[in-house]
């Protein structure tokens, strides 16, 4: 992500201390929300169409530098990889929702609100923060761009239908409690447009204009290193805002947070490990295997929180489960970045090519 690389760990000097920065951002957000409550209320009030503008701003700043690094003229090599595309679709839209449904019912049989919130999290496939985890793990940037775009299309088409299946139809068929989920297709489309469409368009336009005016060498050796650190700044800002907004609820209900965290941790570990093993098993190289694993394990917490609040209310257990999702996902997937870099030794080294900025 940054210009200074560390060949031992595969991460830049700045990125190697990411867990420290994330921990500091979490503490800063909680302190801000607790000591200056008006800040949390003000941040929560700044919304358009149910989208929190501070969170949107942080995510856009976070995603733009990574998407500006994508070599869009190489996307055809990704779209031609049917193993990768089919595997991603199966993992994201068949395995992921089914696994979260099973974990939620198995581990939270007595807590229907939290269970429903977790199922909603499982339905919202990642289209935003996954680009950061993929880049930190030295995954394939072009593949990540294609897979998150694919997820965004399926999210608009399939989210409502899967919500009906896993919250209403399937529980009824199994003799379990059913829940209605009224989801607006417009809300999902707006979420996708803001959190993927805007930074993707900006990144594409930046590369096209930069290469046309200055050439690829200048763009990748001079321009990208300058904007690279802003991905980390955007991530940390987003974490501070999330904890400032929701830290009070988390502090007030720690036993509930722990109950919600257990199935989430199991979900992230199983999805990532299973996807990574699948990528290795079907013969993908390390970079695309890492991309497959992180795009399958991550979730679109922005959409999950928005749907839970709109359907059940901001003070509901469903909304709390949605909020706990990213708070567990961030440290869990940061840890999996290090696991991924360690597991790279089990793949054959790729042929020499241009050094990535």
């Amino acid at each position: 992500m940054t210009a200074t690389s560390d060949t031992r760990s595969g991460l830049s000097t700045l990125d190697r201390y990411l867990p420290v920065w994330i921990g500091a951002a979490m503490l800063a957000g909680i302190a801000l929300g607790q000591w200056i409550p008006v800040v949390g209320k003000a941040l929560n009030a700044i919304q358009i169409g149910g989208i929190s503008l501070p969170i949107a701003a942080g995510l856009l700043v976070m995603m733009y530098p990574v998407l500006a690094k994508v070599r869009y003229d190489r996307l055809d090599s990704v779209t031609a990889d049917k193993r990768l595309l089919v595997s991603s679709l199966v993992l994201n839209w068949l395995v992921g929702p089914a696994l979260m449904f099973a974990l939620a019912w198995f581990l939270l049989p007595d807590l229907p609100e939290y269970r429903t919130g977790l199922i909603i999290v499982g339905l919202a496939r990642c289209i935003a923060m996954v680009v950061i985890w993929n880049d930190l793990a030295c995954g394939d940037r072009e593949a990540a761009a294609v897979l998150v775009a694919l997820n965004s299309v399926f999210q608009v088409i399939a989210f409502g239908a899967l919500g009906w299946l896993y919250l209403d139809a399937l529980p009824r068929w199994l003799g379990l409690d059913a829940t209605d989920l009224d989801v607006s297709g417009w809300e999902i489309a707006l979420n996708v447009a803001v959190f993927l469409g805007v930074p993707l368009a900006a990144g594409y336009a930046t590369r096209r204009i930069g290469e046309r005016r200055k050439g690829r060498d200048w763009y990748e050796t001079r321009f990208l290193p300058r904007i690279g650190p802003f991905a980390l700044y955007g991530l940390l800002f987003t974490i501070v805002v999330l904890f400032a907004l929701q830290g009070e609820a988390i502090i007030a209900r720690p036993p509930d947070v722990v109950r919600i965290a257990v199935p989430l941790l199991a979900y992230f570990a199983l999805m990532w490990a299973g996807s990574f093993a699948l990528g290795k098993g079907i013969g993908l190289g390390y970079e695309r295997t890492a991309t497959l694993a992180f795009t399958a394990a991550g979730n679109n917490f922005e959409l999950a929180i928005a749907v839970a609040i709109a359907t059940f209310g901001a003070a509901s257990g469903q909304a709390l489960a949605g909020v706990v999702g990213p708070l567990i996902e961030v440290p869990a997937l940061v840890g999996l970045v290090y696991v991924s870099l360690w597991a790279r030794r089990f793949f054959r080294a790729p042929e020499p090519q241009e050094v990535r900025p």
Side-chain angles (χ1 to χ4, degrees):
M1 287 171 61
T2 55
T4 306
S5 63
D6 185 301
T7 57
R8 177 178 59 82
S9 68
L11 295 175
S12 71
T13 301
L14 180 62
D15 297 329
R16 278 191 295 117
Y17 296 98
L18 184 60
V20 177
W21 312 139
I22 286 178
M26 290 177 174
L27 293 175
I30 291 175
L32 191 64
Q34 292 294 301
W35 296 343
I36 313 176
V38 68
V39 172
K41 294 178 181 178
L43 290 172
N44 196 43
I46 308 174
Q47 296 186 13
I48 294 181
I51 294 176
S52 168
L53 292 187
I55 293 177
L59 288 170
L60 295 182
V61 171
M62 177 191 76
M63 292 180 65
Y64 165 69
V66 180
L67 291 172
K69 293 177 182 179
V70 172
R71 291 179 174 177
Y72 292 93
D73 56 352
R74 294 184 177 178
L75 294 186
D76 57 344
S77 69
V78 179
T79 56
D81 191 341
K82 304 305 180 186
R83 296 172 303 170
L84 177 67
L85 298 183
V86 172
S87 297
S88 179
L89 286 175
V90 170
L91 289 167
N92 275 285
W93 298 102
L94 294 179
V95 177
L99 176 61
M100 187 68 89
F101 175 85
L103 288 170
W105 271 100
F106 180 71
L107 296 172
L108 300 175
D110 57 328
L111 298 170
E113 291 189 357
Y114 298 155
R115 184 176 64 234
T116 297
L118 285 182
I119 292 172
I120 294 172
V121 170
L123 298 178
R125 312 312 300 166
C126 197
I127 63 170
M129 200 171 282
V130 67
V131 297
I132 289 290
W133 315 135
N134 179 74
D135 212 47
L136 285 169
C138 299
D140 188 318
R141 290 174 185 149
E142 289 70 38
V146 170
L147 295 186
V148 296
L150 194 63
N151 271 352
S152 71
V153 172
F154 271 79
Q155 199 148 137
V156 174
I157 296 172
F159 187 92
L162 288 174
W164 168 80
L165 174 64
Y166 283 104
L167 292 173
D168 186 6
L170 187 56
R172 292 182 191 277
W173 298 339
L174 297 175
L176 304 172
D177 296 331
T179 304
D180 292 328
L181 182 65
D182 183 17
V183 182
S184 165
W186 160 249
E187 183 177 33
I188 298 171
L190 179 62
N191 184 275
V192 169
V194 171
F195 294 117
L196 177 62
V198 172
L200 185 61
Y204 176 79
T206 301
R207 178 171 279 277
R208 287 294 300 272
I209 294 171
E211 288 189 353
R212 185 178 302 169
R213 293 186 176 181
K214 296 283 191 174
R216 173 164 289 186
D217 182 66
W218 173 88
Y219 182 83
E220 296 192 343
T221 62
R222 301 286 298 276
F223 178 73
L224 289 182
R226 293 178 183 175
I227 66 170
F230 284 93
L232 176 58
Y233 304 153
L235 172 62
L236 297 179
F237 173 80
T238 304
I239 292 171
V240 170
V241 172
L242 277 170
F243 272 81
L245 287 171
Q246 304 296 340
E248 183 177 355
I250 294 168
I251 291 174
R253 302 156 78 176
D256 291 353
V257 172
V258 172
R259 288 290 306 273
I260 296 169
V262 171
L264 281 169
L265 287 171
Y267 173 84
F268 295 135
L270 290 171
M271 280 299 294
W272 186 90
S275 302
F276 200 89
L278 175 63
K280 172 71 172 171
I282 62 176
L284 297 180
Y286 168 77
E287 290 192 344
R288 290 193 176 177
T289 294
T291 299
L292 179 66
F294 282 101
T295 51
N299 293 93
N300 185 354
F301 67 82
E302 310 89 7
L303 177 60
I305 293 172
V307 169
I309 291 175
T311 306
F312 303 102
S316 65
Q318 292 88 342
L320 178 62
V323 168
V324 172
L327 307 185
I328 302 301
E329 176 178 338
V330 169
L333 292 191
V334 168
L336 289 173
V337 166
Y338 287 89
V339 175
S340 183
L341 291 170
W342 171 82
R344 184 165 48 176
R345 69 189 66 189
F346 299 110
F347 290 78
R348 186 174 60 185
E351 296 297 323
Q353 56 183 350
E354 288 184 71
V355 178
R356 287 172 45 165

